[in-house]
C-alpha cells in the first residue's frame, strides 16, 4: 500500500486592501486545477468575504445556503466542546470534527483533466444574520477554552490529506484571524503588497514576525498592481521593497533572488476593475504582459516549476464562459431597484450578484 504525499497549504495575505490578492489566489487556483491538481480555496477573510465572486458562473445556490462553512466549522467544534461531559477524560474527536466531506462546494466545471478539481470552502452563509453570527466568534475563547489550536492542526492535516494545494484567502492587517492564516495554517505565505510605503512596510513587518515563529514557513513577497507607464518610479520603489524584504524569498544564491524580484509581480490592468472575473478565462494563453502571464509565473514559483502554464482553451468556449462574467446593463424591463437598510448590506450584495448573473440590472 502506498501513501500519497501530503498537499501544500498556501495563504495569500495583504497588509491592506486593494492589492488584488483575492483575484491572484483565484487565478492561481484555476491554473493548478487545470493542470490536474486537487485544489481547495478557502475564504478566511471573514469580515469581507468575496472569493466566491470569482467563481460565480460555476457555483449554484448551495454555495450560499450551506451553513457548514469556515464559520460553521469553528462553531460546530465549539458547540461540541461546550457540550462535552466535563468528567470525560478521553481526548476530543479532533479528526472527526475536522472532516470536510460535506462542507466544501465543488465548482461546476468538468473540463479539469485527470484528478483535477476545484472546491470552495466559503466564509459563511451570506444573509442578514451574517454580521451577528460573526460577532459571536471569540478567537481567544476558541483557543484557550475550546482547544482551538489542536483542532486547527486537525483541520490542517485534513486539508493536506485531501488536496494537492489549499489556497487560503486571509483577512488583511493585524488580527487573530490573520494570525491563524499567516502563522498557524500555511506552509507557504504569499505576501501581496502594493508599491507604496504603507504597503511595503506593513507587509515586510508581517514577514519578520512570521520568521520569528518556530515552524518554518516559506515566504514569497509579490508586488501587485504595477503600472508600466511609471517605469522610473516603479524601478525605484521595487528596489526599496527588495531592500525591506532582505533575504526573501529564500533562494540558492543572490542571482536567483534577483531573478525572482525581476519576474514575479502582477501588473495593473484596468479591464479587470469592473467585474470579479478570472484572467484565466479573460486573457489568451501565451501572450506576455497579461495578468494571466503574471499568474502563470507566480504559479511556477509556487510549485517549483512543476506547474508553469495554463493549458489552452478553445476560443469559442473561452468566449462563452467569459460572457458569463459580464454585468448585463440591458433594457428597462430587465431592471429592478433594490432598497435595503445598512444592516442588510451583505444580503443585498448577494441578491444583486444572483440577479446580475441572471441578466437583470440592479
Amino acid at each position: 500500500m502506498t501513501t500519497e504525499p501530503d498537499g501544500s497549504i498556501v495563504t495569500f495575505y495583504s497588509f491592506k486592501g486593494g492589492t488584488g490578492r483575492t483575484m491572484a489566489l483565484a487565478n492561481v487556483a484555476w491554473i493548478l486545477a487545470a493542470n490536474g491538481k486537487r485544489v481547495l480555496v478557502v475564504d478566511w477573510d471573514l469580515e469581507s468575504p468575496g472569493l466566491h465572486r470569482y467563481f460565480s458562473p460555476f457555483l449554484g445556490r448551495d454555495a450560499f445556503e450551506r451553513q457548514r462553512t469556515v464559520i460553521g466549522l469553528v462553531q460546530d467544534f465549539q458547540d461540541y466542546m461546550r457540550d462535552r461531559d466535563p468528567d470525560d477524560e478521553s481526548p476530543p474527536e479532533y479528526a472527526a470534527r475536522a472532516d470536510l466531506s460535506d462542507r466544501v462546494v465543488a465548482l461546476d466545471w468538468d473540463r479539469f483533466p485527470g484528478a483535477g478539481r476545484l472546491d470552495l470552502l466559503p466564509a459563511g452563509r451570506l444573509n442578514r444574520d451574517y454580521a451577528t453570527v460573526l460577532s459571536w466568534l471569540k478567537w481567544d475563547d476558541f483557543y484557550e477554552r475550546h482547544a482551538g489550536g489542536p483542532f486547527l492542526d486537525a483541520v490542517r492535516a485534513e486539508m493536506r490529506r485531501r488536496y494537492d494545494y489549499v489556497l487560503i484567502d486571509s483577512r488583511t492587517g493585524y488580527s487573530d484571524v490573520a494570525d491563524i492564516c499567516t502563522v498557524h495554517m500555511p506552509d507557504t505565505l504569499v505576501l501581496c503588497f502594493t508599491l507604496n510605503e504603507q504597503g511595503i512596510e506593513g507587509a515586510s513587518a508581517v514577514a519578520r514576525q512570521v520568521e520569528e515563529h518556530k515552524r518554518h514557513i516559506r515566504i514569497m513577497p509579490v508586488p501587485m498592481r504595477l503600472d508600466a507607464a511609471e517605469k522610473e518610479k516603479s524601478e525605484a520603489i521595487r528596489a526599496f521593497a527588495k531592500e525591506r524584504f532582505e533575504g526573501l524569498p529564500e533562494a540558492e544564491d543572490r542571482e536567483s533572488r534577483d531573478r525572482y524580484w525581476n519576474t514575479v509581480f502582477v501588473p495593473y490592468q484596468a479591464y479587470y476593475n469592473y467585474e470579479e472575473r478570472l484572467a484565466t478565462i479573460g486573457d489568451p494563453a501565451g501572450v506576455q504582459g497579461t495578468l494571466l502571464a503574471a499568474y502563470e509565473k507566480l504559479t511556477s514559483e509556487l510549485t517549483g516549476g512543476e506547474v508553469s502554464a495554463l493549458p489552452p482553451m478553445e476560443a469559442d468556449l473561452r468566449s462563452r464562459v467569459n460572457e458569463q462574467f459580464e454585468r448585463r446593463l440591458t433594457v428597462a424591463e430587465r431592471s429592478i431597484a433594490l432598497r435595503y437598510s445598512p444592516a442588510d448590506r451583505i444580503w443585498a450584495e448577494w441578491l444583486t450578484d444572483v440577479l446580475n448573473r441572471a441578466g437583470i440590472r440592479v
Side-chain angles (χ1 to χ4, degrees):
M1 179 178 177
T2 60
T3 302
E4 293 186 4
D6 285 339
S8 178
I9 298 182
V10 183
T11 288
F12 281 65
Y13 169 89
S14 59
F15 180 72
K16 56 182 292 188
T19 62
R21 175 199 73 235
T22 304
M23 182 178 182
L25 181 155
N27 281 277
V28 169
W30 189 277
I31 293 169
L32 290 169
N35 279 273
K37 301 299 182 182
R38 300 166 300 169
V39 183
L40 173 67
V41 292
V42 183
D43 195 345
W44 219 303
D45 187 1
L46 305 183
E47 283 75 11
S48 183
L51 179 57
H52 63 278
R53 298 183 185 279
Y54 288 95
F55 304 115
S56 58
F58 318 104
L59 293 172
R61 285 182 59 87
D62 64 340
F64 302 94
E65 294 188 349
R66 285 175 181 244
Q67 298 187 48
R68 293 188 166 187
T69 54
V70 171
I71 292 177
L73 188 70
V74 173
Q75 285 183 323
D76 287 353
F77 185 73
Q78 284 182 310
D79 292 342
Y80 161 73
M81 291 295 292
R82 192 178 297 113
D83 294 340
R84 267 172 59 92
D85 186 341
D87 297 326
D88 186 354
E89 296 182 358
S90 63
E93 301 173 352
Y94 294 120
R97 300 291 165 173
D99 184 19
L100 300 175
S101 300
D102 62 347
R103 295 184 182 275
V104 300
V105 182
L107 265 64
D108 184 15
W109 181 257
D110 59 4
R111 294 175 177 266
F112 294 134
R117 62 177 299 161
L118 183 50
D119 294 343
L120 167 68
L121 182 59
R125 190 179 182 190
L126 300 182
N127 57 24
R128 65 177 63 203
D129 298 322
Y130 183 83
T132 301
V133 172
L134 183 60
S135 69
W136 290 342
L137 285 181
K138 306 298 181 185
W139 294 103
D140 288 343
D141 190 59
F142 173 65
Y143 268 95
E144 295 171 8
R145 297 183 54 195
H146 296 141
F151 174 64
L152 289 180
D153 288 339
V155 172
R156 185 175 186 273
E158 170 75 352
M159 289 177 171
R160 297 184 72 202
R161 182 181 70 84
R162 286 182 173 271
Y163 296 94
D164 300 309
Y165 288 93
V166 178
L167 307 186
I168 298 175
D169 191 27
S170 171
R171 181 185 178 186
T172 60
Y174 299 118
S175 69
D176 294 330
V177 176
D179 286 348
I180 291 172
C181 297
T182 58
V183 176
H184 198 132
M185 299 296 288
D187 303 298
T188 300
L189 177 61
V190 177
L191 278 174
C192 304
F193 63 95
T194 50
L195 287 172
N196 53 50
E197 188 170 354
Q198 182 182 6
I200 294 169
E201 296 289 5
S204 60
V206 169
R208 302 312 172 194
Q209 292 174 11
V210 171
E211 286 182 315
E212 293 175 0
H213 289 268
K214 294 181 180 179
R215 190 169 69 84
H216 177 262
I217 298 173
R218 178 190 180 197
I219 300 175
M220 294 176 56
V222 180
M224 309 291 288
R225 299 176 65 84
L226 264 70
D227 189 346
E230 297 290 347
K231 185 175 183 298
E232 292 184 4
K233 288 186 177 182
S234 173
E235 291 178 354
I237 197 67
R238 288 171 71 184
F240 173 74
K242 183 179 175 182
E243 178 183 312
R244 285 293 184 268
F245 287 98
E246 178 65 30
L248 294 176
E250 293 182 355
E252 295 180 356
D253 48 46
R254 180 173 292 276
E255 289 73 19
S256 298
R257 186 174 296 114
D258 289 343
R259 190 180 310 113
Y260 173 94
W261 280 98
N262 289 334
T263 58
V264 178
F265 59 88
V266 176
Y268 172 73
Q269 297 282 2
Y271 172 74
Y272 287 95
N273 283 350
Y274 302 101
E275 293 95 10
E276 289 85 356
R277 68 168 68 223
L278 292 169
T280 50
I281 306 296
D283 287 345
V287 179
Q288 295 302 309
T290 62
L291 282 183
L292 173 57
Y295 296 138
E296 287 177 325
K297 180 60 181 175
L298 175 55
T299 306
S300 179
E301 290 289 337
L302 187 62
T303 64
E306 181 184 1
V307 177
S308 58
L310 178 73
M313 181 185 297
E314 300 93 329
D316 59 339
L317 174 62
R318 189 170 69 85
S319 177
R320 290 198 306 271
V321 177
N322 199 42
E323 287 180 357
Q324 296 182 51
F325 287 96
E326 296 282 353
R327 286 202 173 94
R328 303 294 186 180
L329 304 182
T330 54
V331 295
E333 59 266 24
R334 298 285 289 171
S335 302
I336 68 166
L338 176 63
R339 297 183 176 89
Y340 60 94
S341 68
D344 295 332
R345 178 171 180 174
I346 292 177
W347 177 251
E349 289 179 346
W350 169 81
L351 183 57
T352 299
D353 183 70
V354 171
L355 293 170
N356 281 337
R357 285 190 281 126
I360 300 173
R361 178 181 179 180
V362 179

